[in-house]
Amino acid sequence: MMKTRDNSFSILKAFAVVLLVLLSCTPWAVVADFVGMVAMPAFFLCVGYFFNTDHVGHPAEYVERRVRQLYFPFLKWAIALLVLHNAWFSIGLLSETIGNAQGMVLHPYTWHEFSQRLWSIVFNMSGYDEFFAQTFWVFRALLLANIGFLVLFILGRKISRFENDKEIGWAIFTISFLAVLWQVLGGLVVTGVAGGGYRELLALFFISCGFLFRQYRQSIEIDWRTYLLCLCVWIPFGWFYPVGMEAQSDILHFIALPLPAIAGFLLLLGLSEIVSRYQNTASRLLAYVGDNYLCVTAFHLLAFKFVSMLKVGIYGLSWEQVAAHPVVGGGYWWDFLWLLYLIAGVVLPLLVRQVYLNLTEGRRWSFGKWGDMVFDLLLLIGATLLKLLKAIALGLYNFILNFFRALGEFLKASSPKDE
């Protein structure tokens, strides 16, 4: 019999990238606080989990593969957004008066600025558009952390005192932890790395955590008690001290991040393993999203603009408000436009990617196949919303019914006739 592919980690990455998109469009700050601790670290933990020690014997092939998977897509997409930057102003997707919540606005590039950003993109993996390419640092962090982990692992193999790969993993864990600690305590920067290298060192740390988790996976019993413990770690941090993979950090933020990040990762893994047991359309769609999480990471902010146009029309706002980053403010949570942002941020980049693949590879686009997949996805979302609305309506009905029943009993008990 053919062995069914285990999609649990692909589904986990799908959940992580959905949380990343939700982080950019949620109207609730508390939701952003919770998901911000998990979304990005989960990607690096997955990388470490799947690191194959056979690559140590073929480092050139490993580096070449990572360059093709990370640097070339970054280069292609960052340059495309750079070329289109000034055009966004002419159609209102960017504005010189409206920007993000922190008051930052962008301006058209001069030839000198364009040239400098192009050089930075090519040689430093920086200089990209601050709004539409806001998450492109992930490509640089993944590439440098991958190569750094490989180099340290090769060095570990050359040290005779390390008896096995677990000990090398612990050594890399310790080195990366101390490196980040030294950096944040001393206010240091990694010369030549955009942003100072904090995210890259932190990515290396999480990759080592993922690698160690793989080494001990079979000997660790993970059950409902483990998930309860993870909730007890994740919820207090998200409520009282939310942290994330910011460009720069201090000692408290760094120390506070690993525990809730790993706890959230384990919770997502448990949920993913449950979903992967059902070989249906929903699980296959989630696996597809997870396998292409970098595309969603790169283009969800640009996809938001289609919903921003809709929101501007619904609320009668000026067209210039479309340029608000990442989403148009105002409105109400119950108008569910945040949900449209979430759907557009995930679905549109993948649809455009598939169209591009079909056109460039000379294949005939199967409208029926992709139409069925989109239809199934919409049915899944619709069914989930209906169940949610039904549960809310039933809860309100029971509350009102019990309230009036209790009120009637109270009035009956206090009636003068009974006295």
Side-chain angles (χ1 to χ4, degrees), residues 44-57:
F44 302 108
L45 285 160
C46 287
V47 170
Y49 186 89
F50 285 104
F51 179 81
N52 190 341
T53 55
D54 292 340
H55 296 313
V56 176

Side-chain angles (χ1 to χ4, degrees), residues 177-187 198 202 237 241 243 246 248-258:
F177 179 84
L178 293 177
V180 181
L181 189 64
W182 187 9
Q183 185 189 43
V184 296
L185 284 176
Y198 171 73
L202 198 57
F237 274 97
Y241 201 74
V243 290
E246 292 88 0
Q248 297 178 345
S249 182
D250 54 34
I251 183 62
L252 292 179
H253 280 72
F254 165 58
I255 296 298
L257 179 60

Side-chain angles (χ1 to χ4, degrees), residues 406-416 418:
L407 181 63
E409 293 176 355
F410 172 78
L411 294 175
K412 182 178 180 181
S414 60
S415 173
D418 295 337

Side-chain angles (χ1 to χ4, degrees), residues 347-375:
V347 174
L348 288 182
L350 296 179
L351 287 178
V352 173
R353 174 186 179 277
Q354 191 59 38
V355 171
Y356 173 79
L357 288 177
N358 281 277
L359 291 176
T360 55
E361 294 179 10
R363 296 179 300 181
R364 185 175 61 87
W365 186 22
S366 176
F367 287 94
K369 176 183 176 181
W370 284 98
D372 290 342
M373 291 185 69
V374 174
F375 181 71

Side-chain angles (χ1 to χ4, degrees), residues 89-297:
F89 289 89
S90 62
I91 59 177
L93 298 190
L94 290 178
S95 169
E96 295 188 78
T97 57
I98 295 178
N100 60 17
Q102 290 73 39
M104 177 184 180
V105 296
L106 302 183
H107 304 281
Y109 298 147
T110 64
W111 173 249
H112 175 75
E113 291 171 329
F114 175 88
S115 302
Q116 181 58 64
R117 287 176 177 269
L118 181 60
W119 277 64
S120 298
I121 288 171
V122 174
F123 297 108
N124 194 245
M125 296 186 75
S126 62
Y128 41 78
D129 186 292
E130 290 86 351
F131 282 3
F132 289 147
Q134 182 178 337
T135 55
F136 275 41
W137 65 267
V138 175
F139 293 90
R140 183 181 64 247
L142 281 170
L143 180 61
L144 295 182
N146 269 278
I147 296 176
F149 190 83
L150 175 68
V151 170
L152 290 175
F153 212 95
I154 292 174
L155 294 176
R157 285 278 181 89
K158 295 182 180 298
I159 299 176
S160 59
R161 67 178 303 171
F162 293 134
E163 297 181 357
N164 52 50
D165 291 341
K166 290 181 182 179
E167 293 187 0
I168 298 175
W170 279 111
I172 299 175
F173 171 89
T174 304
I175 291 172
S176 58
F177 179 84
L178 293 177
V180 181
L181 189 64
W182 187 9
Q183 185 189 43
V184 296
L185 284 176
L188 308 175
V189 297
V190 180
T191 305
V193 179
Y198 171 73
R199 282 168 165 165
E200 286 72 20
L201 289 175
L202 198 57
L204 177 62
F205 171 75
F206 280 122
I207 289 177
S208 67
C209 292
F211 178 80
L212 288 173
F213 175 61
R214 176 66 176 268
Q215 303 306 306
Y216 292 96
R217 177 74 185 276
Q218 300 301 324
S219 58
I220 299 176
E221 183 179 355
I222 300 179
D223 54 17
W224 66 269
R225 290 167 294 189
T226 308
Y227 300 128
L228 180 60
L229 177 61
C230 290
L231 281 173
C232 292
V233 171
W234 183 48
I235 292 177
F237 274 97
W239 192 264
F240 296 106
Y241 201 74
V243 290
M245 291 187 68
E246 292 88 0
Q248 297 178 345
S249 182
D250 54 34
I251 183 62
L252 292 179
H253 280 72
F254 165 58
I255 296 298
L257 179 60
L259 276 179
I262 294 173
F265 171 80
L266 291 176
L267 289 171
L268 289 182
L269 179 58
L271 179 61
S272 302
E273 289 176 340
I274 294 174
V275 175
S276 66
R277 296 173 190 165
Y278 303 95
Q279 296 296 320
N280 52 25
T281 302
S283 65
R284 288 192 293 271
L285 282 171
L286 285 172
Y288 177 79
V289 173
D291 291 338
N292 299 282
Y293 76 96
L294 281 175
C295 181
V296 178
T297 302

